[in-house]
Amino acid sequence: MNSSVLPCLVVMLVQLWPCSPCMQNSSAENTALPPVGRVKRSWLGEPLFATEEQISPDPVYIGQLKSDLDKQDGSLEYILTGEGAGSFFFMDEYNGTIYLTQKLDREKKPFYTLKAQAINRSTQLPVEPDLEFIIKVRDVNDNEPQFLDGPYVATVPEMSPEGTSVTQVTATDADDPSYGNSARLLYSLVQGQPYFSVEPKTGVIRMASQMDRETKEQYLVIIQAKDMVGQPGAFSATATVTINLSDINDNPPKFQQRLYYMSVSEDAPVGTTVGKVFAEDSDIGDNAAMDYFIEADSSDVFNIITNNETQEGIILLKKRVDYESKKRYSIQVKAVNRYIDERFLKEEPFEDTTIVKINVEDADEPPVFTLESYVMEIVEGAMSGALVGVVTARDPDDANSPVRYSIVHSTHIKRVFRINEHNGAIITTEPLDREIASWHNITVTATETRNPEKISEANVYVQVLDVNDNAPEFSKNYETFVCENAVSGQLIQSISAVDQDDSAEGHHFYFSLAQEDANSSHFTVKDNQDNTAGIFTGKSGFRRQEQFFFYLPILIQDNGTPPLTSTNTLTVTVCDCDTEVNTFYCRYGAFMYSLGLSTEALVALLACILIFLVFFLAIVTVRQQQKKKPPFPEKMEEFRENIVSYDDEGGGEEDTEAFDISALRTRTVIRTHKPRKKVASEIQSLYRQSLQAGPDSAIFRQFISEKLEEANTDPSVPPYDSLQTYAFEGTGSLAGSLSSLGSNTSDMDQSYDYLADWGPHFKQLAGMYSSQRTVGD
């Protein structure tokens, strides 16, 4: 035996697997190993296979490993390790026979990797190299097919040709597809004939015939998948496929009726719905969309539109109908599919027609004017009552009711026309002036006498024709100046004219000096023949001291029939200037000249006006200050009489004896207190007398003494270090005193009606103290 080749152990199975490559070792590596034999490749006994699901009460023989060094004396021991060793697989340690002890499942584990050893029992050393081998589990048909993607839903257009692919179904089988027929599937149609078919090997479902969606739009197809190529004992599974037929435009529209009857009133306005027609279409969606049309000669009276939601044709009134003119209409309506499938055009046209008969119903209509609007003319200046024109209206109904005419007057427009209510003649109520209004717009109504609710209106436009009744005049007010040093023939003013009249040939004006001034040598007028004229000086040198103004009467004549002439005065002011006209100084000089004042007199007049304004403002300021004074000064005096002030330096919050007002009042100071009412009455009497005498009189001094006595004898008054002040109002007031000192003891006893006689300055006070108001409220 070649020492460089190590023998291999062979697994003997039904399907021979290649052994692991023999290990190539150097001579140095093999010196430590005992002698080994060559691998023996013979089977011992009939071979058995390791098949899944195979099980028996006794272990199942798989194969045998045997070394050629085995002398069958029990000196060698065979050992099995690896996947499933000891559980699924068992090896006889004496002869190397391998057994299957448990049931295998290829779908869980299709093969096992094991390792076998042969060792000497005495030395426990291997006599063969380790052998790694695989035990493959052979498949059996133990799994059913499954449709993992179901349920299936497919859509195919209706009328699709035979053989059109609809969809594909696919089933899976967990068995081994590379061994036997366990995973080879065969598809068949359980339900769905004769409309559909299925390819046995691919599961593709196809159309078996043309189908119409309008007959049936959904089909339920059942597909079966069998393994083992459909052989007896094979497993099977089914899948349900819902097949929907999608719509195509293979049906034309069809009217439900071949003849429609409708009616419309003659007073119906344009746009009124007359009726509806409907054409059915078995298709759906856009394939059922259609448009309606009106054919023949009635398209100018009626119109039809399509309701896209209901697919109805709506007939509308396009033009007003008249019962007296035409009582019946017959129109032809056509319905056409909006979207056409050209594949079906050869079979029949995708349209349909119907007849619609429309009756016109009679209605009581308002009167109808012969014209929608009237244009009339009248010459301006025509006398009141002049005929302008005639309007005419009639009742269109068979009754032919009489008509009454009237003018719709606006409250803010002057009524210059009236109408004859019986014959519609329009006449003027006063002469018309084109220059005030060249057009008059009036509204005339016609009312049925039998039914006043039926009223019609017509507009009448009256044009006032022009006559030459206005003379031309200056186009503006001219301000003309001439210098003292002007030379003869100098242009000082260009003039133009306007005319309120309307000239058909265009205005043309003629300018000239009036006859009374034609021989004047001061100025001349030159007609430019273009409706303008120039004013020129007729001499050299002017003197303001001799004549400040010149008044030129200028004649202007128009080209009317008959022509009219007017005299317009142009004022020329002489100015003191050297080379050009200074209009400001000219106006100033003209103004002074017109007033007859010199410059010095004007300055004095302005100074007087300024002084007057200053004096007036001073008076206004003084009166405003007087209005700001208190309305009751006597009340303020009464407040001043009660002001008491004294100084005392206290000892703080804890000093309760710092100031004792009773200690200041000795027995000699305290006097008998008189009744206050009597004292007050006497004081008031003295006060009124003092107002007439003044502060230096004895009466006033007595009043002060009495007030002092009252203060000294009244225990409620402040101590000695207090100060009381009294103010003297003065004399000379026309109203007298309003002080409370001069009032009665009770305000209820005093009458103030005399305040109303003092003038507007005491109006507010009179309102407060009048006899009609309770004093003190």
Side-chain angles (χ1 to χ4, degrees):
M1 181 177 65
N2 189 357
S3 60
S4 62
V5 178
L6 296 178
C8 296
L9 296 178
V10 179
V11 179
M12 292 178 290
L13 300 174
V14 172
Q15 183 178 0
L16 296 179
W17 287 78
C19 66
S20 300
C22 296
M23 299 178 60
Q24 303 294 331
N25 298 321
S26 62
S27 58
E29 292 174 345
N30 294 330
T31 54
L33 295 176
V36 295
R38 181 173 54 85
V39 176
K40 191 172 185 179
R41 298 182 178 275
S42 61
W43 288 96
L44 298 179
E46 292 298 328
L48 296 176
F49 303 98
T51 306
E52 68 169 337
E53 301 292 341
Q54 185 175 358
I55 188 170
S56 63
D58 297 327
V60 178
Y61 173 78
I62 298 300
Q64 183 181 14
L65 295 177
K66 185 178 181 182
S67 173
D68 57 356
L69 298 178
D70 188 359
K71 298 178 180 180
Q72 297 183 359
D73 57 356
S75 61
L76 296 181
E77 180 182 0
Y78 295 94
I79 301 173
L80 182 66
T81 59
E83 295 178 336
S87 56
F88 291 100
F89 304 102
F90 168 73
M91 175 180 281
D92 190 329
E93 61 177 322
Y94 293 102
N95 56 22
T97 303
I98 302 174
Y99 298 95
L100 176 65
T101 61
Q102 293 187 26
K103 182 179 177 181
L104 299 176
D105 188 354
R106 190 201 65 82
E107 286 69 41
K108 292 183 179 180
K109 191 170 182 61
F111 61 89
Y112 294 84
T113 302
L114 298 171
K115 184 183 293 185
Q117 290 180 314
I119 63 175
N120 189 298
R121 290 181 181 273
S122 299
T123 62
Q124 293 296 311
L125 296 174
V127 297
E128 297 282 357
D130 293 347
L131 176 65
E132 184 177 284
F133 62 95
I134 295 174
I135 297 178
K136 185 175 181 182
V137 182
R138 180 173 292 176
D139 183 48
V140 297
N141 190 21
D142 59 346
N143 290 279
E144 298 178 354
Q146 291 182 348
F147 289 95
L148 301 179
D149 298 329
Y152 297 88
V153 178
T155 302
V156 62
E158 64 172 330
M159 306 303 293
S160 295
E162 182 178 348
T164 301
S165 175
V166 178
T167 187
Q168 182 179 15
V169 295
T170 303
T172 59
D173 196 317
D175 293 325
D176 188 2
S178 62
Y179 177 77
N181 297 324
S182 299
R184 295 180 62 186
L185 303 179
L186 189 68
Y187 299 94
S188 62
L189 195 65
V190 178
Q191 177 179 316
Q193 301 90 350
Y195 308 109
F196 302 96
S197 63
V198 62
E199 292 182 356
K201 294 183 179 181
T202 62
V204 175
I205 302 174
R206 298 184 181 277
M207 302 285 290
S209 63
Q210 285 189 337
M211 288 174 287
D212 188 5
R213 186 202 64 83
E214 287 71 35
T215 302
K216 185 178 181 180
E217 66 176 336
Q218 190 178 81
Y219 293 85
L220 201 63
V221 178
I222 299 177
I223 303 296
Q224 184 185 62
K226 277 188 175 182
D227 58 11
M228 297 293 293
V229 201
Q231 295 177 3
F235 294 107
S236 65
T238 58
T240 301
V241 183
T242 302
I243 301 177
N244 298 311
L245 297 181
S246 60
D247 184 61
I248 62 173
N249 193 8
D250 59 340
N251 293 281
K254 295 291 183 183
F255 279 103
Q256 293 178 325
Q257 300 174 219
R258 288 297 157 192
L259 185 62
Y260 289 85
Y261 291 96
M262 300 177 184
S263 62
V264 61
S265 177
E266 65 173 337
D267 62 352
V270 173
T272 300
T273 299
V274 179
K276 299 178 181 179
V277 296
F278 179 65
E280 287 185 338
D281 194 321
S282 300
D283 298 321
I284 59 176
D286 291 341
N287 295 324
M290 65 188 74
D291 294 314
Y292 294 89
F293 303 94
I294 294 179
E295 297 182 332
D297 299 333
S298 301
S299 58
D300 60 336
V301 181
F302 301 97
N303 188 23
I304 190 168
I305 61 174
T306 303
N307 187 329
N308 292 324
E309 294 183 359
T310 62
Q311 293 301 313
E312 292 177 316
I314 303 174
I315 299 176
L316 303 176
L317 189 61
K318 184 179 179 180
K319 182 180 179 181
R320 293 286 294 268
V321 293
D322 185 13
Y323 175 81
E324 288 73 27
S325 300
K326 190 172 183 179
K327 298 179 174 60
R328 187 174 297 104
Y329 292 87
S330 179
I331 61 176
Q332 184 173 346
V333 178
K334 179 171 66 174
V336 181
N337 268 138
R338 190 173 300 169
Y339 307 102
I340 304 298
D341 194 334
E342 296 181 356
R343 294 178 298 173
F344 303 98
L345 281 176
K346 59 184 179 180
E347 298 179 3
E348 56 181 328
F350 276 69
E351 60 183 43
D352 195 19
T353 59
T354 187
I355 302 298
V356 180
K357 294 185 177 296
I358 302 174
N359 294 324
V360 180
E361 298 177 349
D362 188 21
D364 189 4
E365 299 176 272
V368 178
F369 283 93
T370 55
L371 297 175
E372 293 183 359
S373 61
Y374 295 83
V375 179
M376 302 178 181
E377 296 178 347
I378 187 171
V379 177
E380 69 170 327
M383 299 299 294
S384 176
L387 177 64
V388 180
V390 179
V391 296
T392 305
R394 66 174 184 84
D395 183 10
D397 300 318
D398 294 337
N400 194 15
S401 172
V403 175
R404 184 175 66 253
Y405 301 94
S406 63
I407 294 178
V408 179
H409 290 287
S410 178
T411 57
H412 62 280
I413 298 179
K414 187 177 181 180
R415 302 179 182 181
V416 295
F417 301 99
R418 63 183 179 88
I419 190 171
N420 188 310
E421 65 176 4
H422 300 292
N423 58 20
I426 300 175
I427 58 178
T428 61
T429 61
E430 61 181 40
L432 303 178
D433 188 355
R434 189 202 67 84
E435 285 69 42
I436 297 177
S438 60
W439 283 91
H440 294 270
N441 301 334
I442 60 177
T443 302
V444 178
T445 61
T447 306
E448 287 187 13
T449 56
R450 297 178 183 176
N451 186 2
E453 295 182 355
K454 299 300 179 180
I455 304 174
S456 295
E457 292 184 352
N459 293 323
V460 179
Y461 306 98
V462 181
Q463 182 181 14
V464 182
L465 301 179
D466 183 51
V467 295
N468 192 23
D469 58 347
N470 290 277
E473 57 186 7
F474 281 150
S475 60
K476 65 178 181 178
N477 292 325
Y478 291 101
E479 193 174 17
T480 306
F481 305 95
V482 62
C483 292
E484 289 182 314
N485 56 357
V487 297
S488 178
Q490 180 178 339
L491 176 66
I492 63 173
Q493 184 69 60
S494 293
I495 60 175
S496 61
V498 293
D499 195 331
Q500 296 183 10
D501 294 322
D502 186 14
S503 176
E505 299 178 357
H507 288 292
H508 187 76
F509 303 114
Y510 304 95
F511 300 89
S512 62
L513 280 175
Q515 186 66 34
E516 61 270 17
D517 205 53
N519 298 324
S520 173
S521 60
H522 298 298
F523 301 96
T524 60
V525 176
K526 179 182 179 181
D527 194 337
N528 298 325
Q529 301 298 318
D530 59 355
N531 292 338
T532 64
I535 309 299
F536 294 87
T537 57
K539 68 170 187 174
S540 298
F542 294 87
R543 296 192 61 181
R544 292 200 304 171
Q545 289 76 7
E546 295 179 358
Q547 188 171 355
F548 210 96
F549 299 104
F550 290 90
Y551 302 98
L552 302 183
I554 298 177
L555 295 180
I556 307 176
Q557 180 180 325
D558 61 15
N559 61 336
T561 304
L564 295 180
T565 303
S566 66
T567 301
N568 298 264
T569 301
L570 181 67
T571 302
V572 180
T573 304
V574 180
C575 296
D576 181 12
C577 54
D578 297 330
T579 57
E580 60 181 358
V581 178
N582 192 321
T583 57
F584 175 77
Y585 289 109
C586 280
R587 291 193 190 100
Y588 172 73
F591 174 73
M592 294 293 294
Y593 179 81
S594 62
L595 293 178
L597 299 175
S598 63
T599 305
E600 294 77 6
L602 181 61
V603 172
L605 179 61
L606 293 177
C608 292
I609 294 174
L610 180 61
I611 293 173
F612 174 76
L613 290 176
V614 173
F615 180 73
F616 176 76
L617 293 175
I619 293 176
V620 171
T621 304
V622 171
R623 289 193 175 186
Q624 290 180 349
Q625 292 179 354
Q626 289 178 353
K627 291 181 180 180
K628 295 181 180 179
K629 291 183 178 181
F632 304 106
E634 286 79 9
K635 294 291 184 179
M636 299 300 296
E637 290 176 1
E638 183 177 338
F639 296 153
R640 290 197 298 269
E641 292 172 357
N642 293 332
I643 295 176
V644 178
S645 62
Y646 60 90
D647 297 326
D648 177 64
E649 183 176 354
E653 295 181 354
E654 298 180 356
D655 186 4
T656 58
E657 298 180 357
F659 181 81
D660 188 4
I661 190 172
S662 61
L664 298 177
R665 289 197 176 96
T666 61
R667 296 181 183 270
T668 59
V669 175
I670 299 177
R671 297 178 177 86
T672 303
H673 179 62
K674 296 180 181 180
R676 184 172 180 81
K677 180 176 181 181
K678 181 178 180 181
V679 173
S681 178
E682 294 175 357
I683 291 175
Q684 292 170 0
S685 176
L686 291 173
Y687 180 76
R688 286 193 295 270
Q689 297 177 17
S690 68
L691 295 177
Q692 306 297 328
D696 297 330
S697 66
I699 296 175
F700 185 79
R701 288 194 296 272
Q702 184 181 355
F703 164 72
I704 296 299
S705 299
E706 291 294 336
K707 289 293 292 181
L708 181 60
E709 180 65 17
E710 179 188 8
N712 291 335
T713 58
D714 191 353
S716 62
V717 299
Y720 298 125
D721 56 355
S722 64
L723 175 64
Q724 295 191 18
T725 60
Y726 299 91
F728 178 72
E729 182 179 15
T731 60
S733 174
L734 296 178
S737 175
L738 298 178
S739 173
S740 60
L741 296 176
S743 303
N744 292 334
T745 303
S746 174
D747 289 340
M748 299 296 295
D749 301 335
Q750 179 68 32
S751 175
Y752 296 92
D753 294 340
Y754 57 87
L755 295 175
D757 300 330
W758 289 358
H761 296 291
F762 297 88
K763 181 178 179 180
Q764 181 177 2
L765 195 61
M768 297 175 60
Y769 287 91
S770 63
S771 60
Q772 299 177 359
R773 180 182 178 95
T774 302
V775 179
D777 289 349

